Each structure stands twice: as C-alpha cells, then as structure tokens.
C-alpha cells in the first residue's frame, strides 16, 4: 500500500480519517448524512422533472436552476457514497488517482455552482432593471452559451489542481484528516515547498467564487436601486418577492463556503472536528436546500410538483385498473 522512504514518499493509497476524535460516533453521524443525501437526490431529480415537463417553467431562471441542480447531483454523488462507506464499513482507503479525481470534481463542480448562481442573479437583474429587454437579452442561445461558459471555466481553471499534487513527494503521512479529498487537506501532507501551489489555489478561488460573489452583490445593489424608484410600495414588494428564493440560495451556498475557506486557511486554532463539519455542511446543505427553497417559495414549482404527482397517481390508477393487471 505504501512505499516508504523518508525523503521521497510515493503513495498508492490515502487513508481517510473521517471526523477526528469522533470515530466512535461515525455510525450515528452517518444517519443525518444519509438522510441529507437522499433528500438531495430526491429534491433535485424532482425539480428537474417538473421543469422539464412544464413548458411554462422553460424560462431563464428555471433553466439556470436546472443547471445548478445537475451540478448539485454530481457534487453529492462524487462525495457522499465514499463518506457513507467510510462511516458504515470503516472503508478508509482511497486510491491516489481516485483521491485526485474526487478533489477535482469537488472544486470544479463547486465553481460551476457559483457560476450558475451568478447567472441567476444576472437573470434577476435583467428582469427587474430591463424588463422589456429580458426576452431579447436572455435568448435560448445566450442561456446555452452562459451555461457552457460556466462549465468550461470550472473545468479548465481547476484542471491544474490534480497535476499540482500528482508529482509531489509526501513525506509526512498518507492519512487525510478529512471525510473526503480536497486541495488544502492534501497539500498539508506535502514535504516540499508549496507556496506557489497555494497561491494558485487562492487566485483561482478569488477569480471564481470571490469574483462571482462581488458581481452578485453589485447586481443586487442595482436591483435595489431600481426597486426603490418604483412608484408604490406594493410594486416594490412584488418585485422584491421575485428575488427571495435566489437570495436564500445565495446565503445557503456562500455562507458555509466562506466559513470553510477561511477556517482552512486562517483558522489554525480551530479544533479539527469543526473544520470537518463546516467543510461537510458546505457540500451537503446547499444541494439539499436549493430544491426545497424553490419548492416552498415558488408557486409555479409547487403547482408543477402537485401536477406531476397527480399525473403519476392517475397513471398508477390506470395501470392497477387495467384487465391485464387485475388478472395477475
């Protein structure tokens, strides 16, 4: 498993520690993790089906929401199965290449999620500040182009990360004090100089999540400026209500993301379990909450969900009432 040489440690596998100090409670911790994973899968798949089947929801905001849901599904599926395997079966081993692949998917998909949230903010900005030009600005071609650009940005900017760690020497240990593979957890095991690699990671983080957040704030400043110039209070409240769901998604995504980023790089005195919990919240909670937020706050999605359930129930009743089924 491990070819050990103090000056040049070549790794074939890593060992995931899980949550340090809480190894005995892993089985109990796995229960909420599993429930959150199931809710994420169910909610995002249902959201995709509802938007796909209801042509009234084929609008820019909901199409960007579909893209966000796909990224959420891929992100949770690239991490949660291995985490649950670790908690349930003490399956700590992960191959070096698999670890680097998981790290790449986590960071690139998180970057894509940030981009899709920015695209949704752009949609709100155009819809409120330039309502008459909304359909001409956000055409189907523009929506597809923005989606592809966001995917391309996440895929390309994060692609050097695995190679930055692939050929390094690991002279400390092969034990990762985490539930999954991520850049900062791995680079702490490297024995050579890592300032340039850390700097690249920080620059990419700023150019993606940091810049996205700044642009989102700027868009909402312009939105608020436009809203407060509306003639009546009722019009202002009605306009702001169209942004409520998106604002909640922003808070749910960026709050744990910034806490995780800051505690990893500057919170050296914070206990390791706190680091791990924050990092897991960052991966677990947004994919679960996004469909719930839009399901609760958006009447059209609620109606679509009820319509979808009604259609499925009617189809099931027809199957049960069919002669072939009754004969069986």
């Amino acid at each position: 498993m491990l070819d050990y040489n103090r000056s040049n440690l070549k790794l074939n596998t890593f060992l995931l520690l899980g949550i340090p100090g809480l190894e005995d409670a892993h089985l109990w911790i796995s229960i909420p993790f599993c429930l959150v994973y199931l809710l994420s899968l169910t909610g995002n798949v249902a959201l995709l089906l509802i938007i796909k089947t209801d042509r009234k929801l084929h609008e820019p905001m909901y199409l960007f929401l579909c893209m966000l849901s796909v990224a959420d599904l891929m992100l949770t599926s690239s991490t949660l199965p291995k985490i649950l395997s670790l908690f349930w079966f003490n399956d700590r081993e992960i191959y070096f290449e698999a670890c680097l692949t998981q790290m790449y998917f986590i960071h690139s998909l998180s970057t894509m999620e940030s981009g899709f949230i920015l695209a949704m903010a752009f949609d709100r900005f155009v819809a409120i500040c330039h309502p008459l030009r909304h359909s001409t600005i956000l055409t189907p071609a523009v929506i597809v182009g923005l989606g592809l650009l966001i995917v391309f940005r996440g895929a390309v900017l994060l692609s050097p990360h695995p190679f930055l760690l692939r050929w390094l020497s690991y002279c400390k240990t092969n034990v990762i004090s985490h539930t999954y593979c991520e850049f900062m957890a791995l680079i702490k095991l490297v024995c050579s100089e890592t300032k340039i690699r850390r700097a690249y990671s920080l620059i990419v983080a700023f150019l993606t999540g940091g810049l996205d957040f700044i642009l989102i704030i700027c868009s909402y400043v312009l939105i608020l400026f436009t809203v407060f110039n509306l003639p009546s209070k009722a019009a202002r409240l009605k306009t702001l209500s169209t942004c409520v769901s998106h604002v909640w998604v922003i808070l749910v995504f960026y709050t744990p993301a910034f806490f995780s980023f800051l505690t990893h790089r500057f919170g050296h005195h914070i206990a390791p379990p706190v680091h791990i919990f924050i990092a897991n919240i960052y991966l677990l909670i947004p994919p679960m909450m996004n469909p719930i937020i839009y399901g609760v706050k958006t009447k059209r999605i609620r109606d679509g969900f009820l319509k979808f359930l009604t259609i499925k129930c009617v189809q099931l009743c027809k199957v049960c009432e069919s002669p072939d089924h009754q004969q069986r």
Side-chain angles (χ1 to χ4, degrees):
M1 178 179 70
L2 188 64
D3 299 326
Y4 190 83
N5 183 313
R6 254 343 215 184
S7 61
N8 184 21
L9 189 62
K10 183 181 178 181
L11 293 172
N12 293 323
T13 61
F14 282 115
L15 295 177
L16 294 167
L17 188 60
I19 302 177
L22 297 175
E23 289 86 355
D24 294 337
H26 275 176
L27 189 60
W28 294 105
I29 296 171
S30 71
I31 296 173
F33 274 57
C34 184
L35 290 175
V36 169
Y37 181 43
L38 292 175
L39 285 172
S40 298
L41 292 178
T42 305
N44 284 289
V45 169
L47 191 64
L48 289 169
L49 290 174
I50 290 166
I51 294 174
K52 180 180 181 297
T53 54
D54 190 346
R55 296 191 63 83
K56 292 180 180 178
L57 295 174
H58 292 185
E59 296 179 0
M61 188 68 170
Y62 301 114
L63 294 176
F64 288 132
L65 181 60
C66 282
M67 298 177 194
L68 180 63
S69 290
V70 172
D72 284 339
L73 286 169
M74 293 177 66
L75 181 62
T76 53
S77 297
S78 66
T79 53
L80 262 296
K82 180 60 183 178
I83 293 173
L84 292 175
S85 178
L86 186 152
F87 287 163
W88 289 341
F89 311 113
N90 201 31
D91 180 19
R92 299 178 183 275
E93 281 194 359
I94 182 169
Y95 285 107
F96 185 42
E97 289 76 11
C99 188
L100 294 179
T101 303
Q102 186 187 63
M103 178 198 69
Y104 170 72
F105 277 115
I106 288 170
H107 293 298
S108 63
L109 288 168
S110 298
T111 300
M112 292 175 199
E113 286 181 330
S114 178
F116 293 135
I117 293 172
L118 172 61
M120 294 162 76
F122 178 64
D123 170 78
R124 290 298 85 205
F125 165 75
V126 176
I128 293 171
C129 300
H130 305 283
L132 299 179
R133 299 174 57 197
H134 183 260
S135 59
T136 57
I137 293 174
L138 284 170
T139 62
V142 171
I143 294 168
V144 172
L146 282 174
L148 291 175
L149 181 63
I150 291 165
V151 172
F152 181 78
R153 183 190 69 163
V156 171
L157 284 181
L158 277 300
S159 60
H161 273 55
F163 299 101
L164 290 174
L165 299 174
R166 179 67 180 86
W167 308 111
L168 293 176
S169 297
Y170 295 81
C171 61
K172 296 179 181 179
T173 178
N174 70 327
V175 177
I176 301 174
S177 297
H178 214 304
T179 53
Y180 57 84
C181 297
E182 61 100 29
F183 187 81
M184 289 305 297
L186 285 172
I187 208 163
K188 290 176 181 178
L189 308 181
V190 175
C191 55
S192 57
E193 181 57 55
T194 59
K195 285 184 179 179
I196 295 176
R197 291 170 175 83
R198 289 173 184 261
Y200 177 79
S201 178
L202 283 170
I203 291 169
V204 169
F206 174 76
L207 291 176
T208 54
L211 187 59
D212 289 350
F213 185 71
I214 292 170
L215 292 174
I216 289 170
I217 295 298
C218 291
S219 69
Y220 270 95
V221 168
L222 295 172
I223 286 170
L224 290 174
F225 183 78
T226 301
V227 167
F228 288 134
N229 284 327
L230 292 175
S232 66
K233 183 179 179 181
R236 290 194 290 269
L237 290 175
K238 183 179 179 180
T239 304
L240 285 175
S241 67
T242 64
C243 300
V244 171
S245 298
H246 185 244
V247 170
W248 275 109
V249 167
I250 293 168
L251 293 174
V252 167
F253 179 80
Y254 282 103
T255 302
F258 282 132
F259 269 108
S260 179
F261 176 82
L262 293 173
T263 54
H264 258 300
R265 285 164 174 81
F266 308 111
H268 303 298
H269 302 294
I270 297 176
V274 177
H275 278 290
I276 309 305
F277 270 118
I278 293 174
N280 280 283
I281 286 172
Y282 166 56
L283 287 185
L284 290 170
I285 300 303
M288 179 191 72
M289 290 301 299
N290 292 340
I292 293 175
I293 289 169
Y294 271 91
V296 171
K297 295 290 184 179
T298 309
K299 183 178 184 298
R300 292 171 70 175
I301 290 181
R302 287 201 309 271
D303 293 343
F305 182 69
L306 293 174
K307 181 181 177 182
F308 179 77
L309 282 181
T310 303
I311 292 171
K312 291 299 178 184
C313 288
V314 170
Q315 290 176 346
L316 183 62
C317 290
K318 287 182 179 179
V319 170
C320 293
E321 292 173 357
S322 65
D324 292 340
H325 185 271
Q326 290 177 353
Q327 288 175 3
R328 292 176 186 175

